[in-house]
Amino acid sequence: MKRLARRTFLGSAATVLGAVAHATSRVDLMTYVTCPTMRYHPAVVAQQSVGRAGMSHDSLARVLYERGQAQLAHRTPVGWTQAIMLFSQAIARDSSFALAWADLARTTNFVYTRGSDVGIPRDSLRAIALAASDKAAALAPNDPAIWLLKARSAFMMDPTDDAPRLFSVKKAISLDSTYALAWFEMGTIREELFEPAAALAAYQRAATLDPT
């Protein structure tokens, strides 16, 4: 537990405690008062809670994954490059690590969309994002956030084909009908399909679920 005491970034309580539960049956707890500087989106909280099911039993894989998350927090090309490497190393240790696959897909998707240079060809970034999101969905089929990620990866691969994107968003909503981000994505798809009434209904549903 010394590693836990040396953490240099604040992780989600749900995922951190999940990792602790995998590693030990006893742990000393302390109470702190924190002052958050931002509000976590409800979808992020939901993803973190669901994410406990996708946590690895391999302690080194979990360490690599947490280091990848810490690199992501830097929000720089160097940080994204390191995060991709660390998530890949975590997967090499445990190929069933759903959260690592999901964050590898999320990171490569983000880097591709942003157009940042991380030393990986853009076509390769797209392929990695799609393959990683497919693997994450296969490992954690009940995680709506992963299905939304899969939808975005499908759009990145072929923006002209709405079918796989629409299927994945519908799947996310079927798993969690209160998932505002999925409803917003549904609105975007319906708008692109020239279905204004359906688009408006989806956007209104998203705004009702998350007015922020």
Side-chain angles (χ1 to χ4, degrees):
M1 300 312 296
K2 292 181 179 179
R3 185 181 297 115
L4 188 63
R6 295 198 304 267
R7 290 174 65 91
T8 57
F9 69 100
L10 182 62
S12 157
T15 52
V16 170
L17 290 177
V20 170
H22 278 298
T24 183
S25 60
R26 297 183 63 185
V27 62
D28 294 327
L29 296 178
M30 297 180 69
T31 302
Y32 292 90
V33 176
T34 62
C35 181
T37 58
M38 59 178 287
R39 173 183 179 269
Y40 280 106
H41 193 284
V44 174
V45 177
Q47 165 66 14
Q48 291 168 339
S49 297
V50 173
R52 284 177 294 175
M55 186 61 68
S56 174
H57 291 272
D58 186 301
S59 60
L60 181 54
R62 294 196 302 271
V63 169
L64 292 167
Y65 173 73
E66 289 188 359
R67 288 177 179 172
Q69 288 188 312
Q71 289 296 324
L72 277 182
H74 295 307
R75 301 186 64 82
T76 64
V78 173
W80 298 322
T81 302
Q82 290 296 312
I84 291 171
M85 179 187 71
L86 289 162
F87 292 144
S88 298
Q89 290 176 351
I91 290 166
R93 289 279 310 182
D94 181 0
S95 61
S96 65
F97 197 169
L99 283 182
W101 282 108
D103 277 342
L104 177 62
R106 188 173 290 109
T107 305
T108 49
N109 192 322
F110 177 80
V111 169
Y112 178 89
T113 303
R114 190 181 179 91
S116 299
D117 182 9
V118 294
I120 301 175
R122 286 179 60 77
D123 286 347
S124 296
L125 285 172
R126 289 195 308 173
I128 292 169
L130 184 62
S133 62
D134 285 346
K135 184 67 173 179
L139 291 168
N142 296 322
D143 187 337
I146 287 179
W147 282 99
L148 180 58
L149 176 62
K150 187 173 166 62
R152 291 172 173 171
S153 296
F155 175 74
M156 187 172 65
M157 284 298 294
D158 186 358
T160 66
D161 185 3
D162 287 310
R165 183 184 176 199
L166 184 59
F167 173 84
S168 295
V169 171
K170 286 181 176 179
K171 180 68 174 180
I173 292 173
S174 71
L175 290 168
D176 183 0
S177 62
T178 66
Y179 193 6
L181 287 179
W183 281 107
F184 186 87
E185 191 80 11
M186 178 66 79
T188 302
I189 296 172
R190 294 303 186 189
E191 188 174 7
E192 292 172 355
L193 292 174
F194 301 103
E195 301 175 3
L200 179 60
Y203 284 139
Q204 287 176 334
R205 176 66 170 159
T208 300
L209 291 168
D210 182 15
T212 61

